[in-house]
Structure formats: structure tokens, C-alpha cells
Amino acid sequence: MSHDSRLTGVFSPVLTPFDAALRPDAKRFLNHCRWLRARGVGLAVFGTNSEANSLSRDEKHALLDALLEGGIEPAALMPGTGACALPDAVALTRQAVQAGCAGVLVLPPFYYKGVSDEGLYRYFAGLIEGVADARLRVYLYHIPPVAQVPISLALIDRLLDDFPGIVAGVKDSSGDWNNTAAMLERHAPRGFQVFCGSETFLLQTLRGGGAGCITATGNVNPAPIVELFRRWREPDADQRQARLDATRAAFQRLPMIPAMKAAIAWKSNDRQWAAVRPPLVELDAAQTAGLRQELDTLGFDIEDAATLAG
């Protein structure tokens, strides 16, 4: 991979299915990843909506190996490799780079709050220097509503100065369009790839020179999101965006991960898909019924959902 390589498009933090013992289900996981790839979606496995921080390092290693052995092309993969412990992050990132993954999505270390930019710089620099591989492409994961540890514009400047090419982009899940716009204006001219963290901002991001989106609901509504990415310059782009927003809102009114898993369980007729790992809990009966009703009203469906069943 050359230093001038650039990722664009729609990626999804792939949901992690669990078996009856709440172990990661590699077969369902591979089926889901193949289904997403058939619809043009890249795979940001081990992201927030993958329940990544409820998975062990060994489980992530095994799942990534299962995808590669199952024929998923490494160029479609952007695994989440951030961890509070820097040695864990280095090990996960090294595996992804050696496998040929297109990039890695890296959370800041999130347990300690109120940490300085200097501390975060040392973490990201330590990761890059620990992996010590010119093929590494780091995509910073800015998600202050969850991590409570923001990645500042000034920190991005410093990382770009010191690790050009290696620090390749960002997923901005701040939910603040002004922040995404600032990243586009300040960093995109340096070749920094800005992905919004929800398809709600996809059209604005593309119009601002961004790379695409890395979005949870790519798991359940991939084709329409990809179509907007491909056709955002066409006259009906705003109407497409509005339809995406309505579907996103139906899921966002509920805990997102259990809601998306409930939709897959429903449409695939595979009840095991609804399983989540503690501390998350599945939707209750009333929530499930309400979600189904709203999705039916929207005309929502999951194409070829039977292929997702275990």
C-alpha cells in the first residue's frame, strides 16, 4: 500500500453475532460480512456497534482470522484496534497490518478522563512506533459522546506533521456537524480522509470534500446508503438523504445495537441474532413490536436476509 492510497466509501462497524453461550459466532459473522461486501460496504469490524469493548483480544484475533480464511479481501477491512492498554492496541494493529488490512480505526485510550493532548499524542505515537510498519494507515476514532476523550484539531495537526501518510483519516462520531466541517476545512487539504460517523451527515460530508461515512446502520440498510454515496451529485440526493434519515431515526429511538440485531433476527427468522453481551440487553417485547411497526411503515426490508441466519 503506497502512502498516497486513500479509502473512500461506506463502511460499517459490523455487528458481532453471539451463540447461545454468548461466544462470538464466526459463521454468522462471516455470513454478515459477505452480505455487506456484496452490497458495496467496507468492514469496520470491532467498532462500537460490534460490541468491540466486550470482546477479548483473543476473540478479535480469531474473528479476523476467520474473515481472512473465509475469503474476505483485506483491502475491505478497517478493524478497530484501539484499546486502553497500549500493548493490546499494538498487538491488534500489528495483526491487521500484517494481514494487509486497508487501515485500522483507533479509539483513544478511554478509561482515564480529562487527559491532555500530550498524553494522547504519546499513545498514538507509541502505537505507530510500536507497530513500526510503513504499511500502517491509522484512522482516528473521535467519539466523545461515548469515550469522553476527544481528539482535538490541534492533536490531529501534530500527528499529521509527525506521521504523514501513516495518520490517514478520522471517523468523526461527535454528532456535531461543525466539528466535522472544521476537520474538512483544516485537515482534508492535507490528504486527511474525513468520514462522518452517521449517514445522517453523509451528503454534507461529501459536499464538503469528505471521504464517506462509517455508520452503524450500514449493517441493516446498506444499499440505500451506498447509493447515496455513489449518486450524491444527482438532483434527488437530498430526497435520498431524507429517506436515510427516517430509517436511521427508527433505530436511533432505541438502544442501537439491540435494535439492529432485533431487525436482523426478525428479517432472517434467526432468533439467535438478537443476542447481545452484557452489559447490553436485548430489546423487550414492546420495544421489538414498536420497532417492527415503524420499520413496516417505512417500507423497510433486509434483502436476502435468510443468508444471514446461522
Coordinates of all heavy atoms in Angstrom, one line a residue, residues 5-77:
S5 N -2.3 6.1 -1.0 CA -3.6 5.4 -1.1 C -4.6 6.1 -0.2 O -4.4 6.6 0.8 CB -3.4 4.0 -0.6 OG -3.0 3.9 0.8
R6 N -5.9 6.0 -0.6 CA -7.0 6.7 0.0 C -8.2 5.8 0.1 O -8.6 5.3 -0.9 CB -7.3 8.0 -0.7 CG -6.2 9.1 -0.6 CD -6.1 9.7 0.8 NE -5.0 10.7 0.9 CZ -3.8 10.4 1.3 NH1 -3.5 9.2 1.6 NH2 -2.9 11.4 1.3
L7 N -8.8 5.7 1.3 CA -10.0 4.9 1.4 C -11.2 5.9 1.2 O -11.2 7.0 1.8 CB -10.1 4.3 2.7 CG -9.2 3.1 3.0 CD1 -9.4 2.5 4.4 CD2 -9.4 2.0 2.0
T8 N -12.2 5.5 0.5 CA -13.5 6.2 0.4 C -14.6 5.2 0.5 O -14.4 4.0 0.3 CB -13.5 7.1 -0.9 OG1 -13.5 6.2 -2.0 CG2 -12.4 8.1 -1.0
G9 N -15.8 5.8 0.7 CA -17.0 4.9 0.6 C -17.8 4.8 1.9 O -17.6 5.6 2.8
V10 N -18.5 3.7 2.0 CA -19.4 3.5 3.1 C -18.8 2.2 3.8 O -18.6 1.2 3.2 CB -20.8 3.2 2.7 CG1 -21.7 2.8 3.9 CG2 -21.4 4.4 2.0
F11 N -18.5 2.4 5.1 CA -18.0 1.3 5.9 C -19.0 1.1 7.1 O -19.7 2.1 7.5 CB -16.7 1.6 6.6 CG -15.5 1.5 5.6 CD1 -15.3 2.4 4.6 CD2 -14.7 0.4 5.7 CE1 -14.2 2.3 3.7 CE2 -13.6 0.3 4.8 CZ -13.4 1.2 3.8
S12 N -19.1 -0.1 7.6 CA -20.0 -0.3 8.7 C -19.2 -1.0 9.8 O -18.4 -1.9 9.6 CB -21.2 -1.2 8.3 OG -22.1 -1.4 9.3
P13 N -19.4 -0.5 11.1 CA -18.9 -1.3 12.2 C -19.7 -2.5 12.4 O -20.8 -2.5 12.9 CB -19.1 -0.3 13.4 CG -20.2 0.6 13.0 CD -20.2 0.7 11.5
V14 N -19.2 -3.7 11.9 CA -20.0 -4.9 11.7 C -20.5 -5.4 13.1 O -19.7 -5.6 14.0 CB -19.2 -5.9 11.0 CG1 -20.0 -7.2 10.8 CG2 -18.7 -5.4 9.7
L15 N -21.8 -5.7 13.2 CA -22.4 -6.3 14.4 C -21.7 -7.7 14.6 O -21.4 -8.4 13.7 CB -23.9 -6.5 14.2 CG -24.7 -5.2 14.1 CD1 -26.1 -5.6 13.7 CD2 -24.8 -4.5 15.5
T16 N -21.5 -8.0 15.9 CA -20.9 -9.3 16.2 C -22.0 -10.2 16.7 O -22.6 -9.9 17.8 CB -19.8 -9.1 17.3 OG1 -18.8 -8.2 16.9 CG2 -19.2 -10.5 17.6
P17 N -22.3 -11.2 16.0 CA -23.3 -12.2 16.5 C -22.8 -13.1 17.5 O -21.6 -13.4 17.5 CB -23.7 -13.0 15.2 CG -22.5 -12.9 14.3 CD -21.8 -11.6 14.7
F18 N -23.6 -13.5 18.5 CA -23.2 -14.4 19.5 C -24.0 -15.7 19.5 O -25.2 -15.7 19.1 CB -23.3 -13.8 20.9 CG -22.4 -12.6 21.1 CD1 -22.9 -11.3 21.0 CD2 -21.0 -12.7 21.3 CE1 -22.1 -10.2 21.1 CE2 -20.2 -11.6 21.4 CZ -20.7 -10.3 21.3
D19 N -23.4 -16.8 19.9 CA -24.1 -18.1 20.0 C -24.9 -18.1 21.4 O -24.9 -17.2 22.1 CB -23.2 -19.3 19.8 CG -22.2 -19.4 20.9 OD1 -22.3 -18.9 22.0 OD2 -21.2 -20.2 20.6
A20 N -25.5 -19.3 21.6 CA -26.3 -19.4 22.8 C -25.5 -19.3 24.1 O -26.1 -18.9 25.2 CB -27.1 -20.7 22.8
A21 N -24.2 -19.5 24.0 CA -23.3 -19.3 25.2 C -22.7 -17.9 25.2 O -21.8 -17.7 26.0 CB -22.3 -20.4 25.2
L22 N -23.2 -17.1 24.4 CA -22.6 -15.7 24.2 C -21.2 -15.7 23.8 O -20.4 -14.7 24.1 CB -22.9 -14.9 25.5 CG -24.3 -14.6 25.8 CD1 -24.4 -13.6 27.0 CD2 -25.1 -14.0 24.6
R23 N -20.8 -16.7 23.0 CA -19.5 -16.6 22.4 C -19.6 -16.1 21.0 O -20.7 -16.3 20.3 CB -18.9 -18.1 22.3 CG -18.6 -18.7 23.6 CD -18.3 -20.2 23.5 NE -19.4 -20.9 22.8 CZ -19.7 -22.2 23.0 NH1 -18.9 -22.9 23.7 NH2 -20.7 -22.7 22.3
P24 N -18.6 -15.3 20.5 CA -18.7 -14.8 19.1 C -19.0 -16.0 18.1 O -18.3 -17.0 18.2 CB -17.4 -14.2 18.8 CG -16.9 -13.8 20.2 CD -17.4 -14.9 21.1
D25 N -19.9 -15.8 17.2 CA -20.3 -16.8 16.3 C -19.7 -16.5 14.9 O -20.1 -15.6 14.2 CB -21.9 -16.8 16.1 CG -22.4 -18.0 15.3 OD1 -21.8 -18.3 14.3 OD2 -23.4 -18.6 15.7
A26 N -18.6 -17.2 14.7 CA -17.8 -16.9 13.5 C -18.5 -17.1 12.2 O -18.3 -16.4 11.2 CB -16.5 -17.7 13.5
K27 N -19.4 -18.1 12.2 CA -20.2 -18.4 10.9 C -21.1 -17.3 10.6 O -21.2 -16.8 9.5 CB -20.9 -19.8 11.1 CG -21.7 -20.2 9.9 CD -22.4 -21.5 10.1 CE -23.2 -22.0 8.9 NZ -24.4 -21.2 8.7
R28 N -21.9 -16.9 11.6 CA -22.8 -15.8 11.3 C -22.1 -14.5 11.0 O -22.5 -13.7 10.1 CB -23.8 -15.6 12.5 CG -24.9 -16.6 12.7 CD -25.7 -16.2 13.9 NE -26.9 -17.1 14.1 CZ -26.9 -18.2 14.8 NH1 -25.8 -18.6 15.4 NH2 -28.0 -18.9 14.9
F29 N -21.0 -14.3 11.6 CA -20.2 -13.1 11.4 C -19.6 -13.1 10.0 O -19.8 -12.1 9.3 CB -19.0 -13.1 12.4 CG -18.2 -11.9 12.4 CD1 -18.7 -10.6 12.7 CD2 -16.8 -11.9 12.2 CE1 -17.9 -9.5 12.8 CE2 -16.0 -10.8 12.3 CZ -16.6 -9.6 12.6
L30 N -19.1 -14.2 9.5 CA -18.6 -14.3 8.1 C -19.8 -14.1 7.1 O -19.6 -13.4 6.1 CB -17.9 -15.6 7.9 CG -17.4 -15.9 6.5 CD1 -16.4 -14.8 6.1 CD2 -16.8 -17.3 6.4
N31 N -20.9 -14.7 7.4 CA -22.1 -14.5 6.5 C -22.5 -13.1 6.4 O -22.8 -12.6 5.3 CB -23.3 -15.3 7.1 CG -23.2 -16.8 6.8 OD1 -22.3 -17.3 6.1 ND2 -24.0 -17.6 7.5
H32 N -22.5 -12.4 7.6 CA -22.9 -11.0 7.6 C -21.9 -10.1 6.8 O -22.2 -9.3 6.0 CB -23.0 -10.5 9.0 CG -23.6 -9.1 9.1 ND1 -24.6 -8.7 8.3 CD2 -23.3 -8.1 10.0 CE1 -25.0 -7.4 8.7 NE2 -24.2 -7.1 9.7
C33 N -20.6 -10.4 7.0 CA -19.6 -9.7 6.3 C -19.6 -9.9 4.8 O -19.5 -9.0 4.0 CB -18.2 -10.0 6.8 SG -17.8 -9.3 8.5
R34 N -19.9 -11.1 4.4 CA -20.0 -11.4 2.9 C -21.3 -10.7 2.4 O -21.2 -10.1 1.2 CB -20.2 -12.9 2.7 CG -18.9 -13.7 2.9 CD -19.2 -15.2 2.8 NE -17.9 -15.9 2.8 CZ -17.8 -17.2 3.0 NH1 -18.9 -17.9 3.4 NH2 -16.7 -17.9 3.0
W35 N -22.3 -10.6 3.1 CA -23.6 -9.9 2.7 C -23.3 -8.4 2.5 O -23.7 -7.8 1.6 CB -24.6 -10.2 3.8 CG -26.0 -9.6 3.5 CD1 -27.0 -10.2 2.7 CD2 -26.5 -8.4 4.0 NE1 -28.1 -9.3 2.7 CE2 -27.8 -8.3 3.5 CE3 -26.0 -7.4 4.8 CZ2 -28.6 -7.2 3.8 CZ3 -26.8 -6.3 5.2 CH2 -28.1 -6.2 4.6
L36 N -22.6 -7.9 3.5 CA -22.2 -6.4 3.4 C -21.3 -6.2 2.2 O -21.5 -5.2 1.5 CB -21.6 -6.0 4.7 CG -22.4 -5.9 5.9 CD1 -21.6 -5.7 7.2 CD2 -23.4 -4.7 5.8
R37 N -20.3 -7.0 2.0 CA -19.4 -6.8 0.8 C -20.2 -6.9 -0.5 O -19.9 -6.1 -1.4 CB -18.3 -7.8 0.8 CG -17.3 -7.6 1.9 CD -16.6 -6.3 1.9 NE -15.9 -6.1 0.6 CZ -16.0 -5.0 -0.1 NH1 -16.7 -3.9 0.3 NH2 -15.3 -4.9 -1.2
A38 N -21.2 -7.8 -0.6 CA -22.0 -7.9 -1.8 C -22.8 -6.6 -2.1 O -23.2 -6.4 -3.2 CB -22.9 -9.1 -1.7
R39 N -22.9 -5.8 -1.1 CA -23.7 -4.5 -1.2 C -22.7 -3.3 -1.2 O -23.2 -2.2 -1.1 CB -24.7 -4.4 -0.1 CG -25.9 -5.3 -0.5 CD -26.6 -5.9 0.7 NE -27.6 -6.9 0.2 CZ -27.3 -8.2 -0.1 NH1 -26.1 -8.6 0.0 NH2 -28.2 -9.0 -0.6
G40 N -21.4 -3.5 -1.4 CA -20.5 -2.5 -1.5 C -20.1 -1.8 -0.2 O -19.5 -0.6 -0.3
V41 N -20.3 -2.4 0.9 CA -19.9 -1.8 2.2 C -18.6 -2.4 2.7 O -18.4 -3.6 2.7 CB -21.0 -2.1 3.2 CG1 -20.6 -1.6 4.6 CG2 -22.3 -1.5 2.8
G42 N -17.7 -1.5 3.1 CA -16.5 -1.9 3.7 C -16.7 -2.3 5.2 O -17.7 -2.0 5.8
L43 N -15.8 -3.0 5.8 CA -16.0 -3.6 7.0 C -15.1 -3.0 8.1 O -13.9 -3.3 8.2 CB -15.7 -5.1 6.9 CG -16.4 -5.8 5.7 CD1 -15.9 -7.3 5.6 CD2 -17.9 -5.8 5.9
A44 N -15.7 -2.2 9.0 CA -15.0 -1.6 10.1 C -15.3 -2.6 11.3 O -16.0 -2.2 12.3 CB -15.4 -0.2 10.4
V45 N -14.8 -3.8 11.2 CA -15.1 -4.8 12.3 C -14.4 -4.2 13.6 O -13.5 -3.5 13.6 CB -14.5 -6.1 11.9 CG1 -15.2 -6.7 10.7 CG2 -13.0 -6.1 11.6
F46 N -15.0 -4.7 14.7 CA -14.6 -4.3 16.0 C -14.7 -2.8 16.3 O -13.9 -2.2 17.0 CB -13.1 -4.8 16.3 CG -12.8 -6.2 15.8 CD1 -11.6 -6.4 15.2 CD2 -13.7 -7.2 15.9 CE1 -11.3 -7.7 14.7 CE2 -13.5 -8.5 15.4 CZ -12.2 -8.7 14.8
G47 N -15.8 -2.3 15.8 CA -16.1 -0.9 16.2 C -17.1 -0.9 17.3 O -17.4 -1.9 18.0
T48 N -17.6 0.3 17.6 CA -18.5 0.4 18.8 C -19.7 -0.5 18.6 O -20.1 -1.2 19.6 CB -19.0 1.9 18.8 OG1 -17.9 2.8 19.0 CG2 -20.0 2.1 20.0
N49 N -20.4 -0.5 17.4 CA -21.5 -1.3 17.3 C -21.2 -2.8 17.1 O -22.1 -3.6 17.0 CB -22.4 -0.8 16.1 CG -23.0 0.5 16.4 OD1 -24.0 0.6 17.1 ND2 -22.3 1.6 16.1
S50 N -20.0 -3.1 17.0 CA -19.5 -4.5 17.1 C -19.4 -5.1 18.5 O -19.1 -6.2 18.7 CB -18.1 -4.7 16.4 OG -18.1 -4.0 15.2
E51 N -19.7 -4.2 19.5 CA -19.5 -4.6 20.9 C -18.0 -4.9 21.1 O -17.7 -5.8 21.9 CB -20.4 -5.7 21.3 CG -21.9 -5.4 21.2 CD -22.8 -6.5 21.5 OE1 -23.0 -7.0 22.7 OE2 -23.4 -7.0 20.5
A52 N -17.2 -4.2 20.5 CA -15.7 -4.5 20.5 C -15.1 -4.5 21.9 O -14.3 -5.3 22.2 CB -15.0 -3.5 19.6
N53 N -15.6 -3.6 22.7 CA -15.0 -3.5 24.0 C -15.6 -4.5 25.0 O -15.3 -4.5 26.2 CB -15.1 -2.0 24.6 CG -14.1 -1.1 23.8 OD1 -12.9 -1.3 23.9 ND2 -14.6 -0.2 23.0
S54 N -16.5 -5.3 24.5 CA -16.9 -6.5 25.2 C -16.3 -7.8 24.7 O -16.7 -8.9 25.1 CB -18.5 -6.6 25.1 OG -19.1 -5.5 25.7
L55 N -15.4 -7.6 23.7 CA -14.7 -8.8 23.2 C -13.2 -8.8 23.7 O -12.6 -7.7 23.9 CB -14.6 -8.7 21.6 CG -15.9 -8.7 20.9 CD1 -15.7 -8.4 19.4 CD2 -16.7 -10.0 21.1
S56 N -12.7 -10.0 23.9 CA -11.3 -10.1 24.3 C -10.4 -9.9 23.1 O -10.8 -10.0 22.0 CB -11.1 -11.4 25.0 OG -11.1 -12.5 24.0
R57 N -9.1 -9.7 23.4 CA -8.2 -9.6 22.3 C -8.1 -10.9 21.5 O -8.0 -10.9 20.3 CB -6.8 -9.2 22.9 CG -5.8 -8.7 21.9 CD -4.5 -8.3 22.5 NE -3.5 -9.4 22.5 CZ -2.3 -9.4 23.1 NH1 -1.9 -8.3 23.7 NH2 -1.5 -10.4 23.0
D58 N -8.1 -12.0 22.2 CA -8.0 -13.3 21.5 C -9.2 -13.5 20.6 O -9.1 -14.1 19.5 CB -7.9 -14.4 22.5 CG -6.6 -14.5 23.2 OD1 -5.6 -13.9 22.7 OD2 -6.4 -15.2 24.2
E59 N -10.4 -13.1 21.1 CA -11.6 -13.2 20.3 C -11.5 -12.4 19.0 O -11.9 -12.8 17.9 CB -12.9 -12.8 21.1 CG -13.2 -13.9 22.1 CD -14.3 -13.4 23.1 OE1 -14.5 -12.2 23.3 OE2 -15.1 -14.3 23.6
K60 N -11.0 -11.2 19.1 CA -10.8 -10.3 17.9 C -9.8 -11.0 17.0 O -10.0 -11.0 15.7 CB -10.4 -9.0 18.4 CG -11.4 -8.2 19.1 CD -10.8 -6.8 19.6 CE -11.8 -6.1 20.5 NZ -11.2 -4.8 21.0
H61 N -8.7 -11.5 17.5 CA -7.7 -12.2 16.6 C -8.4 -13.3 15.9 O -8.2 -13.4 14.6 CB -6.6 -12.7 17.5 CG -5.5 -11.7 17.8 ND1 -4.7 -11.2 16.8 CD2 -5.0 -11.3 18.9 CE1 -3.8 -10.3 17.3 NE2 -4.0 -10.4 18.7
A62 N -9.2 -14.1 16.6 CA -9.8 -15.3 16.0 C -10.8 -14.9 14.9 O -10.9 -15.5 13.8 CB -10.4 -16.2 17.0
L63 N -11.6 -13.8 15.2 CA -12.6 -13.4 14.2 C -12.0 -12.8 13.0 O -12.5 -13.1 11.9 CB -13.6 -12.4 14.9 CG -14.6 -12.9 15.9 CD1 -15.3 -11.8 16.6 CD2 -15.6 -13.9 15.2
L64 N -10.9 -12.1 13.1 CA -10.2 -11.5 12.0 C -9.6 -12.7 11.1 O -9.8 -12.7 9.9 CB -9.2 -10.5 12.4 CG -8.4 -9.8 11.2 CD1 -9.4 -9.1 10.3 CD2 -7.4 -8.8 11.8
D65 N -9.1 -13.6 11.8 CA -8.5 -14.8 11.0 C -9.6 -15.5 10.3 O -9.5 -15.9 9.1 CB -7.8 -15.7 12.0 CG -6.5 -15.3 12.5 OD1 -5.9 -14.4 11.8 OD2 -6.0 -15.8 13.5
A66 N -10.8 -15.6 10.9 CA -11.9 -16.3 10.3 C -12.4 -15.6 9.0 O -12.7 -16.2 8.0 CB -13.1 -16.5 11.3
L67 N -12.4 -14.3 9.1 CA -12.8 -13.5 7.9 C -11.8 -13.7 6.7 O -12.2 -13.9 5.6 CB -12.9 -12.0 8.2 CG -14.0 -11.6 9.2 CD1 -14.0 -10.0 9.3 CD2 -15.3 -12.1 8.7
L68 N -10.5 -13.6 7.1 CA -9.5 -13.8 6.0 C -9.5 -15.2 5.5 O -9.4 -15.3 4.2 CB -8.1 -13.4 6.6 CG -8.0 -12.0 7.1 CD1 -6.7 -11.8 8.0 CD2 -7.9 -11.0 5.9
E69 N -9.6 -16.2 6.3 CA -9.7 -17.5 5.8 C -11.0 -17.8 5.0 O -11.0 -18.7 4.2 CB -9.6 -18.5 7.0 CG -8.2 -18.5 7.7 CD -8.3 -19.2 9.0 OE1 -9.3 -19.8 9.4 OE2 -7.2 -19.1 9.8
G70 N -12.0 -17.0 5.3 CA -13.3 -17.1 4.6 C -13.4 -16.4 3.3 O -14.4 -16.3 2.7
G71 N -12.3 -15.7 2.9 CA -12.2 -15.1 1.6 C -12.5 -13.6 1.6 O -12.6 -13.0 0.5
I72 N -12.7 -13.0 2.8 CA -12.9 -11.5 2.8 C -11.6 -10.9 2.4 O -10.5 -11.1 3.0 CB -13.4 -11.1 4.2 CG1 -14.7 -11.7 4.5 CG2 -13.4 -9.5 4.2 CD1 -15.9 -11.3 3.6
E73 N -11.6 -10.0 1.5 CA -10.4 -9.3 1.0 C -9.9 -8.3 2.0 O -10.7 -7.5 2.5 CB -10.7 -8.7 -0.4 CG -11.6 -7.5 -0.4 CD -13.1 -7.8 -0.5 OE1 -13.5 -8.9 0.0 OE2 -13.8 -7.1 -1.2
P74 N -8.6 -8.4 2.3 CA -8.1 -7.5 3.3 C -8.3 -6.0 3.0 O -8.5 -5.2 3.9 CB -6.6 -7.8 3.4 CG -6.5 -9.2 2.9 CD -7.6 -9.3 1.9
A75 N -8.3 -5.7 1.7 CA -8.5 -4.3 1.3 C -9.8 -3.7 1.7 O -10.0 -2.5 1.7 CB -8.3 -4.1 -0.2
A76 N -10.8 -4.5 2.1 CA -12.1 -4.1 2.5 C -12.2 -3.9 4.0 O -13.2 -3.5 4.5 CB -13.2 -5.1 2.1
L77 N -11.1 -4.2 4.7 CA -11.2 -4.2 6.2 C -10.5 -3.0 6.8 O -9.4 -2.6 6.5 CB -10.5 -5.5 6.7 CG -11.3 -6.8 6.5 CD1 -10.4 -8.0 6.6 CD2 -12.4 -6.9 7.5

